[in-house]
């Protein structure tokens, strides 16, 4: 069973199904976020359904591009023989 | 049955026979000691053990309370898992080092005074350094030396702080640092602790050394050094404001570097920095919920991080490669490793029903309750980064992605078994958090499984996955290394050597040249001239005078014949001369 699950995530044959599954899960999560009760919301954003989806996506994009910017323009990334 | 057997003693004394055992007996013995240690921790009663006096100071070998028991529990469990993973090794050295390392970490956890703590602290540094040296090869040996030098420096800072603190307070007993303004001693102790917790800028020893350690050694290293540091911080510095900001900063620092990383274990090492950030921030917030969160997160972290290191180690063991740019397509040949690795990845990313979900969220909730919105947002952003790297980027490029056609197979059975135990615990903690919560230092009033918490976590994580899918090309690993704060001592040491070899050596040569070409001949000439003046001038005068006196003396001596008639004749001649003079003068 494990092999077939791993295969589903690896094999090119399932690429379309994988993508569809991802989008389905994303939609379900946002929908669920609108339905769950929020009695303890302390901050403004905690009262906004869908905030965590927005924040997660934003964080991901920000981390990728800020890090790569620091790596390439900020000089953090160097050739492998830098210390040799 | 005594009520307290020190588990450190079991490991450190228990390390001795390893070298003399072989084959199946050694394997059984390697598992027996951790099992005994787990039992010793389970049987333990809170209290103080081994109080003594040493050089007029109070010593307390073991102080047992809930905080030390929870760390000792996970340390002994981890020792067992690590031993299962390393069971196939034939050389005794690594087993001995691992035993001494685990024993020292347990010694720190129970230390009731700073001197005991310091001794075990240094024991940890040396034993763990061996696990890097054992890898062999120039790169590993150099990294091991750097690791050792950083830790010995940290140890000296700690010792200095302990002495100053002891002089200031009059006691070496280890406990919470008094509230109010901290003295120099307390700051030095804190610096020593922060170094082992890998808080930037004191973090680079970790990401420098762990990827160079042996496959099995790195598993032990990922579990013990930073987590003992979290323990001592939780013991001595709860509620220290500085730690909140350092912790939140390091949670993000680790994930930023993880984007750039190409070496699989270095990427995981940067995630230790990130995850320990949650614990440091939790200790800094210092409320009961926050300290519980930091403690439980350390517990969960040890297990899932070891699982991740075991998965990456299995790939390195089987393929001999560690760079993401050289890996890919292994899911066909290593499906079990993939599945077990992914359990660790879900646990570190805090997916519901995995351990990180019930522990990390305590720290984030504690930040929220303490009205620290910025810290809460920073930690949530770091969660997104964690899933991005350990849950998506690393497995994608290591196991899926471009098939490099590597020859691979599943790792040995003992490695898979160790990973399976860790994975089972990651899931068990996630599904039954109450068992772990019962171990925590304070009573727990926290419910992780609320609807909103589940949808929020999944929202952050799955939309991170969307970002990953959309910007996959931007994440492609590159064949580079990243500059971290080790730059200062790696380049600094090089500059020091350059300074010693070039300017300093040249200055020394110039000075000796001047002395050889100008100063020495001048001195020689002066000396010769002095000698000549001495011989020809001074000596001539002295000799001349001496000769004249000698000659005069000789002449006079000839007059002193000793014959009475000569003297009479001289007297008569004198009389005649005197008479003649008298006669002439008085005429």
């Amino acid at each position: 069973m494990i092999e077939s699950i791993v295969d589903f995530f690896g094999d090119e044959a399932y690429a379309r199904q994988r993508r569809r599954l991802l989008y389905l899960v994303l939609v379900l999560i946002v929908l669920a976020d609108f339905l769950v009760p929020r009695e303890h919301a302390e901050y403004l954003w905690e009262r906004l359904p869908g905030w965590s989806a927005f924040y997660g996506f934003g964080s991901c994009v920000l981390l990728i591009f800020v890090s790569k910017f620091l790596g390439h323009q900020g000089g953090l990334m160097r050739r492998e023989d830098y210390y040799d | 049955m005594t009520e307290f057997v020190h588990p450190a003693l079991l490991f450190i004394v228990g390390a001795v026979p390893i070298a003399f055992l072989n084959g199946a007996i050694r394997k059984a013995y390697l598992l027996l000691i951790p099992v005994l240690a787990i039992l010793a921790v389970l049987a333990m009663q809170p209290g103080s053990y081994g109080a003594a006096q040493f050089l007029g100071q109070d010593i307390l070998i073991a102080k047992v309370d809930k905080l030390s028991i929870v760390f000792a529990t996970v340390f002994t469990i981890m020792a067992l898992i690590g031993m299962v993973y390393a069971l196939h090794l034939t050389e005794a050295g690594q087993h001995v080092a691992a035993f001494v390392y685990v024993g020292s970490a347990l010694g720190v956890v129970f230390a009731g005074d700073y001197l005991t703590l310091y001794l075990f602290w240094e024991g940890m540094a040396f034993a763990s350094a061996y696990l890097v040296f054992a890898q062999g090869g120039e790169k590993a040996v150099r990294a091991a030396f750097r690791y050792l030098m950083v830790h010995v420096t940290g140890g000296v800072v700690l010792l200095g702080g302990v002495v100053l603190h002891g002089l200031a307070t009059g006691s070496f007993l280890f406990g919470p640092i008094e509230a109010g303004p901290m003295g120099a001693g307390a700051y030095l102790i804190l610096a020593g602790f922060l170094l082992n917790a890998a808080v930037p800028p004191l973090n680079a020893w970790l990401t420098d050394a762990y990827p160079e350690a042996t496959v099995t050694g790195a598993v032990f290293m990922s579990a013990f050094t930073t987590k003992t540091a979290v323990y001592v911080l939780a013991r001595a510095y709860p509620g220290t404001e500085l730690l909140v900001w350092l912790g939140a900063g390091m949670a993000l620092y680790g994930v930023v570097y993880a984007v750039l990383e190409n070496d699989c274990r270095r990427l995981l090492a940067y995630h230790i920095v990130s995850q320990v950030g949650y614990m440091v921030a939790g200790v800094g917030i210092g409320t009961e919920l926050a300290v519980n969160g930091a403690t439980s997160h350390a517990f969960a972290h040890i297990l899932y991080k070891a699982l991740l290191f075991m998965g990456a180690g299995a790939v390195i063991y089987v393929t001999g490669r560690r760079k993401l740019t050289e890996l890919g397509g292994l899911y066909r040949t290593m499906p079990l490793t993939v599945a077990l690795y992914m359990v660790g990845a879900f646990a570190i990313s805090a997916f519901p029903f995995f351990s990180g979900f019930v522990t990390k969220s305590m720290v984030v909730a504690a930040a929220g309750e303490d009205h620290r919105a910025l810290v809460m947002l920073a930690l949530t952003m770091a969660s997104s980064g964690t899933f991005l790297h350990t849950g998506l980027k690393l497995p994608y490029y290591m196991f899926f992605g471009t098939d490099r056609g590597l020859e691979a197979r599943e790792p040995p059975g003992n490695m898979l078994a160790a990973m399976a135990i860790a994975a089972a615990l990651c899931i068990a903690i996630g599904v039954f958090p109450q068992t772990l919560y019962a171990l925590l230092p304070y009573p727990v009033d926290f419910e992780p499984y609320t609807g909103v918490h589940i949808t929020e976590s999944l929202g952050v994580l799955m939309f991170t996955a969307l970002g990953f899918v959309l910007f996959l090309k931007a994440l492609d690993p590159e064949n580079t290394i990243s500059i971290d704060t080790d730059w200062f001592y790696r380049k600094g040491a090089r500059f020091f050597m350059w300074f010693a070899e070039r300017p300093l050596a040249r200055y020394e040569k110039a000075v000796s040249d001047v002395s050889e070409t100008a100063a020495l001949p001048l001195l020689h000439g002066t000396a010769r001239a002095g000698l000549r003046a001495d011989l020809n001038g001074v000596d001539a005068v002295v000799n001349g005078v001496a000769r004249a006196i000698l000659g005069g003396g000789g002449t006079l001596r000839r007059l002193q014949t000793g014959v009475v008639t000569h003297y009479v004749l001289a007297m008569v001649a004198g009389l005649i001369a005197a008479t003649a003079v008298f006669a002439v003068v008085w005429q």
Side-chain angles (χ1 to χ4, degrees):
Chain A
M1 185 189 80
I2 288 174
E3 277 176 45
S4 54
I5 295 175
V6 171
D7 223 38
F8 175 78
F9 285 99
D11 206 323
E12 212 38 52
Y14 302 108
R16 264 175 74 119
Q17 279 165 275
R18 278 203 302 265
R19 204 160 270 255
R20 280 187 187 165
L21 181 70
L22 174 69
Y23 293 141
L24 176 70
V25 168
L26 294 180
V27 170
L28 285 178
I29 288 170
V30 176
L31 281 180
D33 208 28
F34 275 88
L35 299 176
V36 289
R38 294 165 191 278
E39 59 265 27
H40 292 306
E42 191 171 351
Y43 301 101
L44 174 70
W45 64 75
E46 286 182 308
R47 271 176 249 136
L48 297 173
W51 156 260
S52 62
F54 171 77
Y55 190 68
F57 185 75
S59 297
C60 169
V61 174
L62 199 69
L63 282 174
I64 294 175
F65 290 100
V66 168
S67 308
K68 287 277 179 181
F69 177 80
L70 287 175
H72 288 295
Q73 313 316 320
L76 290 183
M77 286 163 105
R78 294 297 167 104
R79 285 157 49 105
E80 287 191 320
D81 56 2
Y82 177 72
Y83 284 116
D84 297 339
Chain B
M1 170 107 192
T2 52
E3 60 187 341
F4 183 76
V5 178
H6 203 314
L9 205 67
L10 280 172
F11 280 104
I12 293 174
V13 177
V16 178
I18 295 175
F20 306 103
L21 299 173
N22 273 318
I25 299 174
R26 180 199 273 177
K27 287 181 181 177
Y29 179 79
L30 287 174
L31 300 181
L32 174 73
I33 295 290
V35 169
L36 288 179
I38 293 173
L39 294 176
V41 173
L42 288 179
M44 220 171 254
Q45 295 301 320
S48 297
Y49 304 92
Q53 285 264 320
F54 179 71
L55 301 178
Q57 294 300 330
D58 286 327
I59 296 287
L60 185 54
I61 306 294
K63 186 164 171 282
V64 181
D65 61 8
K66 287 198 93 172
L67 186 63
S68 44
I69 287 180
V70 64
F71 275 90
T73 308
V74 68
F75 280 3
T76 45
I77 293 173
M78 186 56 229
L80 178 63
I81 296 174
M83 273 301 146
V84 174
Y85 190 71
L87 218 50
H88 62 280
L89 290 183
T90 47
E91 65 262 46
Q94 284 196 60
H95 292 310
V96 173
F99 263 45
V100 175
Y101 185 24
V102 175
S104 304
L106 286 163
V108 171
V109 162
F110 288 114
D113 68 280
Y114 277 110
L115 299 176
T116 309
L117 183 138
Y118 177 74
L119 282 180
F120 284 119
W121 194 262
E122 294 291 284
M124 255 183 358
F126 282 92
S128 56
Y130 180 86
L131 298 173
V132 188
F133 278 115
Q135 174 62 30
E138 198 193 325
K139 260 186 102 177
V141 170
R142 280 169 177 268
F145 266 114
R146 285 194 293 273
Y147 175 87
L148 200 53
M149 286 172 84
V150 170
H151 279 282
V152 168
T153 310
V156 171
V157 170
L158 175 65
L159 183 63
V162 166
V163 171
L164 285 180
H165 181 72
L167 288 176
T169 61
S171 159
F172 282 102
L173 291 182
F174 176 49
I177 299 284
E178 294 297 321
M182 296 202 301
Y187 274 112
L188 284 179
I189 295 173
L190 181 63
F193 288 174
L194 290 181
L195 187 138
N196 268 28
V199 178
L202 307 174
N203 66 301
W205 59 266
L206 190 156
T207 48
D208 178 23
Y210 286 16
E212 306 299 339
T214 61
V215 162
T216 52
V219 174
F220 283 98
M221 294 176 83
S222 74
F224 291 98
T225 301
T226 48
K227 258 57 72 184
T228 39
V230 169
Y231 163 79
V232 290
L233 285 173
R235 168 77 67 200
Y237 294 91
T240 305
E241 185 67 20
L242 176 69
L243 295 181
V244 182
W245 299 104
L246 285 176
M250 70 193 276
L252 285 172
Y253 187 94
V255 290
V256 165
Y257 268 96
V259 179
L260 311 176
E261 213 32 77
N262 187 28
D263 182 307
C264 62
R265 285 193 298 177
R266 201 180 297 272
L267 189 156
L268 292 175
Y270 272 113
H271 272 284
I272 299 181
V273 175
S274 177
Q275 294 297 305
V276 172
Y278 287 86
M279 301 166 214
V280 171
V283 170
I285 294 168
T287 59
E288 290 194 354
L289 180 62
V291 174
N292 272 345
T295 309
S296 62
H297 199 45
F299 194 105
H301 177 90
I302 287 173
L303 298 169
Y304 63 62
K305 183 56 78 178
L307 176 52
L308 296 171
F309 263 92
M310 289 192 279
V315 169
I316 295 172
Y317 180 85
V318 171
T319 65
R321 291 162 195 241
R322 47 196 260 195
K323 291 198 275 183
L324 295 182
T325 42
E326 295 177 356
L327 289 164
L330 296 174
Y331 75 94
R332 285 180 219 278
T333 41
M334 307 177 77
L336 285 177
T337 310
V338 176
L340 291 167
Y341 173 92
M342 285 316 292
V343 172
F346 288 135
I348 192 175
S349 311
F351 266 88
F353 305 110
F354 293 90
S355 58
F357 184 77
V358 301
T359 59
K360 194 190 280 187
S361 54
M362 280 173 105
V363 180
V364 180
E369 275 189 9
D370 211 36
H371 307 290
R372 295 173 187 274
L374 214 57
V375 175
M376 205 177 163
L377 286 175
L379 295 181
T380 312
M381 182 177 277
S383 300
S384 157
T386 302
F387 183 51
L388 178 64
H389 301 125
T390 47
L392 296 165
K393 175 186 165 182
L394 187 67
Y396 178 78
Y397 290 103
M398 193 154 75
F399 296 118
F400 303 104
T402 320
D403 194 340
R404 313 266 174 200
L406 298 173
E407 256 188 63
R409 61 195 176 278
E410 295 287 6
N414 63 304
M415 284 178 148
L416 284 176
M419 292 172 72
I421 300 170
L425 287 170
C426 285
I427 295 171
I429 293 170
V431 177
F432 307 107
Q434 299 310 329
T435 322
L436 172 59
Y437 287 175
L439 279 173
L440 297 180
Y442 300 106
V444 178
D445 175 29
F446 179 75
E447 176 46 62
Y449 287 105
T450 61
V452 65
H453 183 205
I454 292 174
T455 58
E456 274 183 354
S457 302
L458 286 176
V460 169
L461 295 173
M462 291 316 292
F463 277 82
T464 298
L466 177 67
F468 173 78
V469 172
L470 294 180
F471 298 106
L472 184 60
K473 277 281 154 271
L475 268 175
D476 272 352
E478 295 167 72
N479 223 347
T480 56
I481 56 168
S482 315
I483 295 180
D484 202 334
T485 49
D486 54 342
W487 185 88
F488 290 98
Y489 51 80
R490 293 178 79 160
K491 286 289 180 184
R494 198 156 296 183
F495 175 75
F496 178 80
M497 289 312 289
W498 173 85
F499 185 76
E501 280 167 11
R502 294 291 166 78
L504 212 59
R506 276 189 192 162
Y507 171 75
E508 194 267 336
K509 190 170 176 337
V511 168
S512 65
D513 280 355
V514 166
S515 91
E516 269 169 29
T517 54
L520 274 181
L522 188 70
L523 283 174
H524 283 169
T526 321
R528 261 194 301 270
L531 185 67
R532 222 170 289 137
D534 188 37
L535 285 177
N536 300 344
V538 179
D539 282 11
V541 171
V542 171
N543 289 352
V545 171
R547 259 182 232 120
I549 290 170
L550 201 64
T555 314
L556 283 175
R557 200 185 57 204
R558 239 170 280 146
L559 294 176
Q560 295 172 320
T561 53
V563 181
V564 177
T565 50
H566 288 174
Y567 294 143
V568 171
L569 199 61
M571 277 198 264
V572 171
L575 274 176
I576 291 169
T579 313
V581 169
F582 193 75
V584 174
V585 174
W586 291 96
Q587 227 178 6

